[in-house]
């Protein structure tokens, strides 16, 4: 069968294997036929050789952590043949640490977790894969064209879950949210904000392309001015760019008792910044700044509900390119107007 693989650490080792072995029974009872995988910045880093780890004893890593497939067989009876399914990316560490021991593997303490298509587990960019019932998330049948968005949606479902847990340390009646960055994570964070009835503002540099229209279609306001100049005192800021200057401005932007959630990963870069001013802002306003990554089972289930309630046409418009597997190299080459690029296994 076909599989998209890299040799981790070797730049541009991306290839499409035609004779990849069928998934091993030990990977899980549920056998799945791949429909699509989504591609994100993590994939680009792995293809560049900056990141990624092959399974023990293997030299190649199958890519793909944003999965969507159709169940072929499930002897456990958890799902039915024909059901749409996505596989949870991260598996708990084997020790396990206190968080992994209770299913909160997104909060792993020892770093020994594994991740499909990223760290020591084969990914979902192959014609067939297997998944254990506890890592299989069923999707509403209507989500067939867009279900590979479940993984990025799970990341923002976790972010919102933790924002709300932090917010409820005191009386919590948020009204306004500022999202920085209108990529897939920022747009999905904005979607979940609108589902909460919040007044949503999204900031991005792009003045052309699909982003302004996608934000307005949510009923949200689109901004292109610097964060500090946005005339708002948001209760929540969700930072999705990882750009150091934007991150710093975002940390100072929340209103009193506000919560700032950082979801972007920054490149190393030194910038001048007034640590005293940030300290005064956080202390005198009771603000919280926290980082958020990955998602556990509960967040995947919340994300599946959020996608099922969303406007299908809007979700579909996040997918700006759908590339057949045979043209895989094109799919892994980013272009300026991409929001989400999807590798299509049905062709
Ligand atoms: Zn752990």
């Amino acid at each position: 069968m076909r599989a998209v693989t890299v040799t981790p650490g070797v730049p541009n080792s991306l290839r499409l294997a035609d004779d990849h072995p069928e998934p091993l029974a030990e990977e899980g009872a549920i056998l799945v036929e791949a429909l699509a995988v989504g591609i994100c910045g993590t994939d680009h880093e792995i293809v560049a050789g900056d990141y990624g780890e092959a399974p023990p004893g293997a030299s190649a890593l199958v890519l793909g952590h944003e999965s969507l497939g159709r169940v072929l067989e499930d002897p456990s009876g958890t799902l039915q043949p024909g059901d749409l399914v996505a596989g949870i990316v991260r598996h708990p560490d084997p020790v396990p640490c206190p968080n992994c021991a209770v299913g909160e593997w997104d909060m792993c303490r020892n770093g020994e977790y594994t991740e499909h298509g990223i760290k020591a587990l084969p990914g979902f960019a192959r014609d067939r894969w297997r998944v254990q019932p506890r890592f299989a998330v069923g999707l509403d049948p209507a989500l067939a064209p867009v279900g590979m968005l479940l993984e990025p949606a799970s990341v923002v479902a976790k972010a919102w879950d933790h924002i709300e847990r932090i917010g409820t340390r005191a009386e919590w009646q948020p009204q306004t949210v500022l999202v920085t960055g209108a990529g897939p994570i920022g747009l999905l964070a904005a979607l979940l904000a609108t589902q909460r009835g919040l007044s949503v503002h999204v900031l991005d540099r792009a003045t052309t392309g699909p982003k302004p229209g996608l934000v307005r279609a949510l009923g949200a306001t689109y901004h292109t001015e610097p964060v500090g100049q946005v005339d708002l005192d948001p209760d929540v800021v969700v930072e999705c760019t990882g750009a150091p200057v934007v991150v710093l401005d975002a940390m100072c932007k929340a209103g009193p008792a506000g919560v700032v959630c950082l979801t972007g990963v920054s490149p190393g870069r030194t910038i001048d910044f007034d640590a005293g001013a940030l300290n005064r802002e956080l202390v005198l306003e009771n603000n919280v700044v926290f980082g958020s990554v990955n998602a556990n089972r509960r967040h995947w289930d919340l994300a599946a509900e959020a996608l099922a309630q969303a406007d299908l046409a809007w979700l579909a418009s996040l997918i700006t390119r759908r590339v057949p597997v045979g043209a895989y190299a094109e799919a892994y080459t980013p272009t300026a107007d991409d929001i989400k690029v999807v590798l299509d296994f049905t062709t």
Side-chain angles (χ1 to χ4, degrees):
M1 65 174 187
R2 299 172 299 178
V4 179
T5 69
V6 295
T7 305
V10 179
N12 306 314
S13 56
L14 183 71
R15 65 182 286 262
L16 177 66
D18 277 328
D19 53 353
H20 194 80
E22 292 291 326
L24 301 171
E26 68 206 44
E27 291 179 40
I30 305 177
L31 179 64
V32 179
E33 171 185 45
L35 296 177
V37 296
I39 296 171
C40 78
T42 301
D43 295 296
H44 296 309
E45 287 176 28
I46 296 171
V47 171
D50 296 337
Y51 200 57
E53 181 184 328
S59 59
L61 172 70
V62 179
L63 282 179
H65 58 278
E66 302 183 0
S67 61
L68 179 67
R70 213 175 267 292
V71 173
L72 290 172
E73 57 182 52
D74 180 6
S76 77
T78 310
L79 294 169
Q80 301 301 315
D83 282 355
L84 285 181
V85 62
I88 289 178
V89 177
R90 188 178 288 190
H91 287 206
D93 80 76
V95 175
C97 76
N99 287 337
C100 286
V102 296
E104 296 199 337
W105 52 71
D106 56 315
M107 303 292 286
C108 182
R109 300 280 300 275
N110 64 22
E112 293 182 37
Y113 59 81
T114 52
E115 291 178 333
H116 285 286
I118 302 172
K119 188 172 183 282
L121 288 178
F124 302 107
R126 41 182 170 155
D127 279 319
R128 283 170 291 285
W129 39 272
R130 285 184 172 276
V131 59
Q132 299 171 33
R134 69 179 178 134
F135 297 119
V137 184
L139 288 101
D140 186 299
L143 294 171
V146 299
M148 78 300 288
L149 297 174
L150 185 60
E151 193 276 343
S154 75
V155 168
V156 300
K158 185 239 177 117
W160 274 109
D161 175 47
H162 284 212
I163 288 164
E164 285 159 349
R165 284 163 184 253
I166 293 165
T168 52
R169 71 200 155 134
E171 178 62 18
W172 179 241
Q173 294 182 16
Q175 294 180 340
T176 307
V177 55
L178 173 65
V179 177
T180 51
I185 295 290
L187 289 166
L188 289 167
L191 169 69
L192 267 65
T194 61
Q195 290 180 340
R196 285 159 166 77
L198 298 174
S199 168
V200 183
H201 296 257
V202 180
L203 182 147
D204 195 280
R205 285 183 306 190
T207 52
T208 58
K211 290 176 177 178
L214 283 165
V215 168
R216 290 186 191 114
L218 283 176
T221 307
Y222 191 76
H223 297 265
T224 53
E225 65 270 38
V227 176
Q229 291 174 22
V230 178
D231 186 18
L232 269 186
D233 234 7
D235 301 295
V236 176
V237 179
V238 187
E239 204 301 302
C240 307
T241 70
V245 172
V246 181
V247 171
L248 281 174
D249 284 350
M251 291 199 297
C252 297
K253 188 62 184 169
V259 180
V260 180
C261 175
L262 308 180
T263 69
V265 179
S266 300
R269 187 171 149 210
T270 304
I271 56 175
D272 276 337
F273 125 88
D274 182 346
L278 175 63
N279 176 65
R280 282 193 300 279
E281 169 84 13
L282 297 184
V283 171
L284 297 178
E285 295 202 332
N286 288 294
N287 288 350
V288 173
V289 178
F290 79 103
S292 181
V293 72
N294 203 258
N296 66 41
R297 171 86 214 197
R298 190 162 47 83
H299 305 128
W300 282 79
D301 291 334
L302 288 169
E305 282 172 38
L307 290 190
Q309 288 164 17
D311 180 74
L312 196 56
W314 185 85
L315 291 174
S317 60
L318 297 187
I319 300 167
T320 44
R321 283 197 293 146
R322 202 178 281 269
V323 181
V325 178
Y328 68 99
E330 218 174 278
Y332 286 90
T333 307
T335 71
D337 281 339
D338 288 337
I339 304 269
K340 176 57 68 184
V341 177
V342 163
L343 195 57
D344 186 344
F345 275 81
T346 63
T347 51

